[in-house]
Amino acid sequence: MAYDLIIIGSGPGGYVCAVKAAQLGLKVAVIEKRATYGGTCLNIGCIPSKALLHASEVFHQTGHSIAELGVDVGKPTLNLEKMMAHKDATVKSNVEGVSFLFKKNKIDGIQGTGKVLGEGKVSVTNDKGEEQVLEAKNIVIATGSDVAGIPGVQVEIDEKVIVSSTGGIALEKVPATMVVVGGGVIGLELGSVWQRLGAKVTVVEYLDTILGGMDAEVSKQFQRMLAKQGFDFKLGAKVTGVEKSGSGAKVTFEPVKGGDAATIDADVVLIATGRKPFTEGLGLAEAGVALDPRGRVEIDGHFRTNVPGIYALGDVVRGPMLAHKAEDEGVAVAEIIAGQAGHVNYDVIPGVVYTQPEVASVGKTEEELKAAGVAYKVGKFPFTANGRARAMLATDGFVKILADKETDRVLGGHIVGFGAGEMIHEIAVLMEFGGSSEDLGRTCHAHPTMSEAVKEAALATFFKPIHM
Ligand code: NAI
């Protein structure tokens, strides 16, 4: 039997595409080489890291800030094994959720490694080396990404002492010292987990700023907050070597602007210098599927590769490597294959860093607007002036809104603060509907909420805030 659609990869892009396509009446199969569905995100990425971020934050708060609220519990003790068990249970319930969705939507999940054999044909090889060839009218490549390592540097990741994010969510004990190579999202999130649990964390970052690409004002203030929490930063520092040394590892780095190299020792080194599209063993070259110069599967505006009937989405194609971007692409591809008009608005894809406080952003940064020569206006509001934030001792941070100077249309929103990752969505919805800062400022917000800071920042953008 030929399927309407075979998807290779069951991460957020692949499984969402499968569910949507099945909902639209297509006969769908998903090929997955891992033992469980859900890809990097559910198995070793977003979901387990959030379980650890939450648990480590509760541990940290219990030891620090709740006494100020009048809650005395004494010094907390860490049960890392139990914390990891919570993480594993979270993963299990999420990956089982995907299995349930497949059953509910009559999607065939096929365990094994998929390979594109050309138009309409895919082979699957299971653990025992048995191969079968499946036929489909359409094929979707949703194979995601893999750890990129440090560009130009040979590093042996053993996932014990020198770890990627995979080992970084599974350490057996809290290291006394940890060096994080790369001050991007993974480095700061996992660095936060181990810092809260007691590690002394040093971040070595090539750029002069952490979270490169974020609004500069946000990343600067966020860096100060992390430094206050105990993070040490070596910025403008290029890591040129990481090697095992005794029971730990040694990191060599040199100033990007030139100067003497230095070394730093740590019990554990986390390599968090980006991810690369995963296309190995997929048979793309033989099938004639073109890659772009950065090794990503090349697609047109409708997710079509150069080979008819073969589509690609998620981390393996251009754009931010984010689970929710892949999910939206999955929906769009399913709709396109089903003959509908699938579309993703790349101007409104939120990004969240799940640290404490969280950092969230959507749309353009101030630097991007400047570079594009757009006339813009800015409105800001600090959480120190928000009643709910004071009540919760969560006054660190601010909301920043950027709008077109002429039309007042909101072009970007940036939040650093408690719950930023939830609050950002009201700006995203506003932007999706082409709303203005006045629209947002005139929308009644419940009092007292942190979200009132978003409203106040909008008021500040088109006229003046009330509470400042
Ligand atoms: P990243 O690209 O966010 O950050 C890597 C950092 O490493 C960059 O700042 C870069 O300048 C630095 N770097 C590169 N080479 C270096 C060197 N030799 N020495 C010092 N620094 C160096 O990559 P990351 O954090 O590994 O994340 C990978 C992907 O996963 C990203 O696309 C990210 O968006 C995604 N992700 C998203 C999450 C979220 O949305 N919350 C969570 C985790 C990952």
Side-chain angles (χ1 to χ4, degrees):
M1 177 205 56
Y3 287 97
D4 292 315
L5 172 61
I6 291 179
I7 299 166
I8 307 179
S10 72
Y15 89 72
V16 168
C17 183
V19 171
K20 184 71 190 184
Q23 287 173 343
L24 293 173
L26 303 186
K27 181 68 197 143
V28 185
V30 178
I31 301 171
E32 173 56 59
K33 66 177 181 184
R34 235 182 253 278
T36 49
Y37 301 124
T40 300
C41 176
L42 273 68
N43 287 280
I44 51 168
C46 331
I47 294 297
S49 66
K50 261 79 260 177
L52 290 182
L53 276 156
H54 177 71
S56 62
E57 177 58 18
V58 171
F59 175 78
H60 178 79
Q61 275 198 353
T62 309
H64 290 82
S65 55
I66 64 170
E68 284 174 69
L69 298 170
V71 184
D72 285 325
V73 288
K75 197 174 175 317
T77 48
L78 175 66
N79 185 335
L80 186 58
E81 214 174 301
K82 207 160 181 181
M83 203 176 271
M84 290 295 173
H86 160 66
K87 176 204 72 177
D88 294 339
T90 309
V91 168
K92 188 165 180 283
S93 65
N94 277 273
V95 299
E96 284 174 359
V98 178
S99 297
F100 162 79
L101 290 174
F102 281 7
K103 275 200 198 88
K104 184 181 167 203
N105 290 285
K106 303 194 170 46
I107 295 162
D108 287 346
I110 301 167
Q111 220 72 51
T113 302
K115 190 172 169 187
V116 179
L117 299 179
E119 225 172 296
K121 278 199 170 61
V122 178
S123 80
V124 191
T125 308
N126 67 15
D127 290 350
K128 296 180 199 123
E130 298 156 347
E131 189 182 357
Q132 58 170 319
V133 175
L134 303 170
E135 289 183 17
K137 292 182 198 142
N138 301 282
I139 297 165
V140 170
I141 300 162
T143 46
S145 60
D146 199 3
V147 174
I150 307 176
V153 181
Q154 190 67 32
V155 181
E156 220 157 287
I157 294 178
D158 65 359
E159 300 296 9
K160 296 269 179 226
V161 173
I162 302 175
V163 300
S164 69
S165 53
T166 307
I169 55 165
L171 299 180
E172 281 161 15
K173 63 176 193 175
V174 180
T177 51
M178 176 181 250
V179 168
V180 174
V181 184
V185 193
I186 292 183
L188 299 180
E189 286 188 355
L190 292 186
S192 288
V193 166
W194 296 105
Q195 193 268 337
R196 292 166 190 169
L197 298 180
K200 173 72 201 154
V201 177
T202 304
V203 176
V204 188
E205 165 58 48
Y206 183 92
L207 302 173
D208 286 331
T209 128
I210 57 168
L211 294 180
M214 274 268 177
D215 191 273
E217 208 175 354
V218 168
S219 78
K220 206 174 279 168
Q221 175 143 353
F222 180 55
Q223 191 196 328
R224 277 201 291 269
M225 291 171 180
L226 290 181
K228 222 164 91 189
Q229 289 172 18
F231 272 82
D232 202 3
F233 290 102
K234 303 216 178 295
L235 302 183
K238 180 184 178 183
V239 170
T240 54
V242 180
E243 53 197 34
K244 285 235 187 114
S245 150
S247 60
K250 188 186 285 300
V251 176
T252 308
F253 59 95
E254 58 190 38
V256 172
K257 292 188 179 120
D260 294 339
T263 60
I264 174 168
D265 292 305
D267 296 332
V268 170
V269 176
L270 169 67
I271 310 293
T273 43
R275 298 180 63 83
K276 58 176 185 212
F278 185 81
T279 54
E280 259 169 60
L282 264 176
L284 298 186
E286 299 91 312
V289 177
L291 302 183
D292 71 13
R294 289 169 64 180
R296 304 173 295 196
V297 177
E298 201 154 45
I299 51 168
D300 66 8
H302 292 92
F303 307 96
R304 293 178 297 212
T305 69
N306 60 318
V307 178
I310 303 183
Y311 299 76
L313 58 82
D315 282 9
V316 84
V317 303
R318 83 283 177 272
M321 289 180 161
L322 295 170
H324 44 282
K325 174 257 194 189
E327 287 185 38
D328 281 17
E329 290 181 337
V331 169
V333 169
E335 288 174 333
I336 289 169
I337 290 173
Q340 301 184 354
H343 173 73
V344 175
N345 180 2
Y346 290 99
D347 289 335
V348 187
I349 299 205
V352 179
V353 187
Y354 298 88
T355 43
Q356 198 56 264
E358 290 179 345
V359 185
S361 110
V362 63
K364 299 280 185 258
T365 63
E366 193 167 346
E367 292 69 35
E368 283 171 335
L369 292 178
K370 257 187 211 147
V374 176
Y376 64 91
K377 50 187 180 169
V378 191
K380 276 182 273 189
F381 193 79
F383 287 107
T384 42
N386 174 278
R388 182 69 183 280
R390 287 192 197 126
M392 300 195 317
L393 298 181
T395 51
D396 270 354
F398 63 95
V399 181
K400 173 174 179 177
I401 289 175
L402 299 155
D404 187 287
K405 200 166 188 176
E406 287 283 304
T407 64
D408 192 34
R409 183 180 176 147
V410 172
L411 302 172
H414 306 275
I415 309 177
V416 51
F418 179 84
E422 302 294 337
M423 285 184 278
I424 197 69
H425 295 104
E426 67 167 308
I427 305 177
V429 171
L430 179 92
M431 287 177 64
E432 192 66 45
F433 284 84
S436 65
S437 72
E438 183 169 2
D439 290 329
L440 184 48
R442 289 189 187 276
T443 302
C444 188
H445 281 59
H447 177 75
T449 56
M450 298 284 286
S451 299
E452 284 174 292
V454 178
K455 173 185 169 164
E456 290 275 5
L459 290 174
T461 310
F462 87 91
F463 182 54
K464 287 177 182 173
I466 298 291
H467 292 91
M468 273 276 288

